[in-house]
């Protein structure tokens, strides 16, 4: 048997705590790797490196150590810091970058291995370690921060996005995407009111934006989304031809103003979802919208190998029509909400919508598409499992036609992101506290935190996981 995989992370007092998972030679349907800390730790993003290995990111309090390497906390006292770590095939940290943000929103990687990180800052934060001139202060309550990192995780450039009016992130996640030419797209949302100090909810004006940068971080053009209520960009993606795909949701009406044209669309009742494709120069190529009396919100994007567009989110009752154009039929969730995934061709032709979920509430989805066209959906589930008063991590899968195959929950309080590598291994990142039984069906691996919270990386062999009883029904 190969040696056990070990990652070591330490906080505050410099104490080292190990974590382990099954080695690949055991060929299980899944593995669990844990990053431990002495304070609060959260896993936010995961991506596959084109150079091999895995890229993970999250946030923590205090100091951070991988093995014998000590990383700076970003130069700000009493503030949550964020990190990006490059892991090798044995899940050992090769490089670590730390800066003074409070949350990583999204991570994108280009073909050369450069990283593009979208995060939020709410206090003065040092972006480049040991460089006092790189301290950035938010213009308002919170700002978005875009950082480009080289493959060795050194900073190439960074841009702070925000204004003195309100917050420019908070609960509205936005996203970042990069084309292989190095062109970068960043989306975010901001509250318009200055008097409101909490994240905006129903009835408050929220507008969104999309900015295009060249590979040097210079602004090329911008697109604005505005309206009388909430107009939120949830995610962005770029296809192989350089077309930008934007997904989000809005209430009442939304006005898209691109560099070359503008369009206005009205909601069908509750918050509606939308997906729009924009050409490299900013022209609107196609637009699709779906919704109804229910809520269709919190959308996530994936581009398939054939250019197909997958939009995942969650549906709240009563009902919504998922067929763009004239109404064909309305559907409602089995519980309070359900996860959905809608598939469109690269030209915007609607294909199908599939659903996953239980009798409770599902929220905050993440999606990934493997080489066979199966769609993996993760997120949080409330009241679906044995722990009725707390959220649980949810993982489900649909076939290439949108038919639900399997779904499972485990009692970890967060599942933030997922990705699939070229061998169809699925990587899921999230956070947990106390004792969690990870796994599928009756096959479980129990992990326990030693302090407040730890980060987990669940690795699923998707082919084996679907073909044996270890994946729960």
């Amino acid at each position: 048997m190969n040696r056990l995989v070990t990652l070591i992370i330490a906080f505050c007092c410099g104490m080292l705590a190990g974590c382990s998972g099954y080695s690949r030679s055991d060929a299980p349907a899944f593995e669990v790797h844990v990053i431990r800390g002495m304070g609060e730790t959260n896993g936010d993003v995961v991506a596959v490196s084109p150079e091999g290995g895995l890229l993970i990111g999250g946030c923590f309090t205090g100091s951070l150590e991988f093995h014998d390497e000590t990383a700076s906390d970003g130069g700000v006292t009493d503030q949550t810091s964020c990190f990006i770590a490059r892991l090798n095939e044995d899940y050992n940290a090769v490089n670590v970058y730390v800066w003074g943000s409070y949350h990583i929103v999204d991570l994108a990687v280009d073909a050369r291995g450069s990283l593009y990180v979208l995060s939020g800052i709410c206090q003065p934060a040092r972006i480049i370690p040991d460089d006092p001139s790189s301290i950035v202060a938010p213009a308002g309550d919170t700002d978005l921060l875009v950082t480009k990192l080289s493959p060795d995780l050194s900073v190439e450039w960074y841009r702070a996005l925000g204004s003195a009016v309100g917050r420019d992130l908070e609960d509205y996640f936005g996203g970042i995407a990069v084309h292989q030419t190095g062109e970068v797209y960043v989306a975010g949302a901001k509250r318009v009111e200055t008097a409101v100090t909490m994240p905006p909810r129903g009835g408050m004006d929220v507008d969104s934006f999309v900015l295009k940068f060249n590979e040097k971080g210079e602004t090329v053009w911008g697109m604005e989304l505005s309206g009388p209520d909430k107009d939120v960009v949830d995610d962005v993606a770029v296809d192989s031809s350089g077309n930008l795909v934007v997904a989000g949701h809005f209430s009442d009406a939304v006005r898209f103003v691109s560099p070359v044209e503008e369009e206005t669309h009205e909601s069908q009742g509750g918050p509606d979802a939308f997906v729009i494709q924009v050409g490299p120069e900013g022209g609107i190529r196609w637009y699709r919208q779906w919704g109804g009396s229910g809520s269709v919100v919190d959308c996530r994007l994936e581009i398939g190998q054939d250019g197909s567009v997958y939009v995942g989110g969650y549906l709240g009752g009563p009902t919504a029509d998922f067929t763009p154009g004239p109404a064909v039929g309305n559907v409602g969730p089995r519980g309070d909400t359900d996860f959905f995934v809608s598939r469109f061709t690269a030209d915007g032709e609607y294909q199908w919508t599939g659903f996953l979920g239980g009798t409770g509430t599902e929220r905050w989805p993440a999606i990934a598409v493997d080489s066979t066209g199966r769609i993996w959906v993760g997120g949080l589930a409330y009241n679906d499992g044995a722990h009725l008063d707390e959220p649980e991590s949810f993982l489900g899968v649909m076939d290439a036609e949108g038919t639900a195959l399997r779904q499972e929950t485990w009692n970890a309080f967060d599942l933030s992101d997922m990705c699939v590598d070229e061998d169809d291994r699925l990587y899921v990142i999230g956070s947990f506290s106390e004792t969690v039984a990870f796994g599928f069906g009756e096959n479980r691996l129990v992990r326990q935190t030693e302090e407040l919270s730890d980060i987990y990386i669940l690795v699923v062999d998707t082919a084996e996981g679907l073909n044996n009883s270890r994946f729960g029904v």
Side-chain angles (χ1 to χ4, degrees):
M1 180 186 298
N2 292 341
R3 63 183 174 81
L4 292 177
V5 177
T6 302
L7 283 173
I8 301 177
I9 187 168
F11 293 83
C12 302
C13 299
M15 297 176 61
L16 298 179
C19 63
S20 62
Y22 288 139
S23 66
R24 291 298 307 169
S25 65
D26 291 332
F30 65 94
E31 309 165 5
V32 180
H33 304 275
V34 177
I35 301 178
R36 301 196 185 278
M38 297 298 293
E40 292 188 4
T41 61
N42 292 283
D44 293 330
V45 291
V46 62
V48 176
S49 170
E51 299 179 332
L54 203 62
L55 299 162
I56 66 169
C59 56
F60 66 96
T61 54
S63 62
L64 173 66
E65 293 185 7
F66 286 90
H67 299 292
D68 296 328
E69 179 182 351
T70 300
S72 168
D73 65 355
V76 181
T77 305
D78 298 328
Q79 179 183 341
T80 298
S81 295
C82 289
F83 75 92
I84 295 288
R86 181 183 298 278
L87 309 181
N88 61 21
E89 293 181 354
D90 292 325
Y91 297 89
N92 294 317
V94 178
N95 304 102
V96 183
Y97 166 63
V98 177
W99 74 106
S101 291
Y102 71 90
H103 174 63
I104 300 179
V105 181
D106 202 3
L107 170 67
V109 186
D110 66 23
R112 293 166 289 189
S114 297
L115 289 72
Y116 304 80
V117 185
L118 182 63
S119 62
I121 55 174
C122 59
Q123 297 183 33
R126 181 175 296 175
I127 311 306
I128 302 176
D130 304 320
D131 182 359
S133 66
S134 69
I135 293 178
V136 175
D141 292 336
T142 62
D143 282 356
L144 288 172
L145 177 69
V146 184
T147 308
K148 180 181 179 181
L149 305 175
S150 64
D152 67 356
L153 303 189
S154 59
V155 177
E156 293 195 12
W157 53 259
Y158 57 91
R159 301 287 182 270
L161 309 175
S163 66
V165 180
R167 297 190 173 193
D168 297 291
L169 171 68
E170 209 51 47
D171 281 353
Y172 296 95
F173 296 143
I176 190 167
V178 59
H179 188 247
Q180 301 313 313
T181 58
E183 296 172 319
V184 185
Y185 296 89
V186 177
K190 65 180 181 180
R191 188 193 63 233
V192 175
E193 290 85 359
T194 59
V196 182
T197 59
M198 294 299 292
R201 299 303 181 197
M204 298 183 184
D205 194 357
V206 178
D207 292 340
S208 293
F209 61 88
V210 178
L211 295 175
K212 178 179 180 178
F213 298 94
N214 62 22
E215 61 181 1
K216 297 180 180 179
E218 300 166 333
T219 303
V220 178
W221 53 256
M223 183 172 72
E224 181 183 7
L225 288 75
S226 61
D229 208 317
K230 294 189 294 186
D231 312 285
V232 180
V233 173
D234 291 316
D235 203 4
V236 291
V238 182
D239 66 20
S240 59
S241 300
N243 297 310
L244 171 68
V245 182
V246 181
H249 63 278
F250 71 97
S251 299
D252 199 328
V254 60
R255 179 170 173 254
F256 296 87
V257 181
S258 82
V260 296
E261 58 188 315
E262 63 180 73
E263 294 182 1
T264 299
H265 300 273
E266 295 183 355
S267 167
Q268 301 177 40
D272 284 4
F274 69 84
V275 58
I276 186 170
Q277 187 188 78
V278 180
E281 304 304 319
I284 297 174
R285 299 199 167 189
W286 53 262
Y287 170 88
R288 302 292 181 266
Q289 173 185 333
W290 58 109
S293 58
S295 301
V296 187
V297 295
D298 198 20
C299 299
R300 295 294 179 264
L301 279 169
E302 278 289 308
I303 305 295
Q305 294 182 354
D306 62 352
S308 296
V309 177
Y310 298 86
V311 184
Y314 68 85
L315 163 67
T319 62
D321 177 17
F322 281 85
T323 55
V328 174
N330 291 322
V331 296
R334 289 184 294 173
D336 293 331
T337 63
D338 278 348
F339 290 125
F340 74 86
V341 176
S342 295
R343 182 181 185 270
F344 300 83
T345 66
D347 296 325
E349 180 183 353
Y350 173 76
Q351 300 289 290
W352 49 256
T353 297
F355 299 90
L356 288 165
T359 58
T361 300
E362 285 77 36
R363 294 285 180 92
W364 319 125
I367 66 173
V369 181
D370 65 27
S371 64
T372 70
R374 293 175 305 199
I375 305 95
W376 296 82
V377 180
L380 296 183
Y382 299 78
N383 301 323
D384 282 345
H387 298 259
L388 301 182
D389 297 326
E390 299 177 358
E392 295 188 322
S393 293
F394 173 100
L395 181 63
V397 60
M398 304 175 184
D399 67 16
E401 302 301 322
T403 301
L405 297 177
R406 301 285 189 270
Q407 61 187 45
E408 187 63 78
T409 61
W410 55 88
N411 58 311
F413 67 82
D414 181 51
L415 188 158
S416 296
D417 198 14
M418 60 173 61
C419 66
V420 177
D421 69 11
E422 60 183 8
D423 295 321
D424 279 343
R425 281 188 297 264
L426 176 72
Y427 301 91
V428 180
I429 192 169
S431 312
F432 73 103
S433 60
E434 299 181 350
T435 301
V436 173
F438 294 94
F440 310 99
E442 296 180 356
N443 190 27
R444 298 279 171 162
L445 291 174
V446 177
R447 297 290 183 263
Q448 186 172 10
T449 56
E450 296 179 0
E451 296 295 336
L452 295 178
S453 60
D454 289 339
I455 295 172
Y456 70 85
I457 304 171
L458 177 72
V459 186
V460 182
D461 185 333
T462 62
E464 182 177 350
L466 284 174
N467 293 326
N468 63 49
S469 61
R470 289 184 290 186
F471 199 94
V473 176

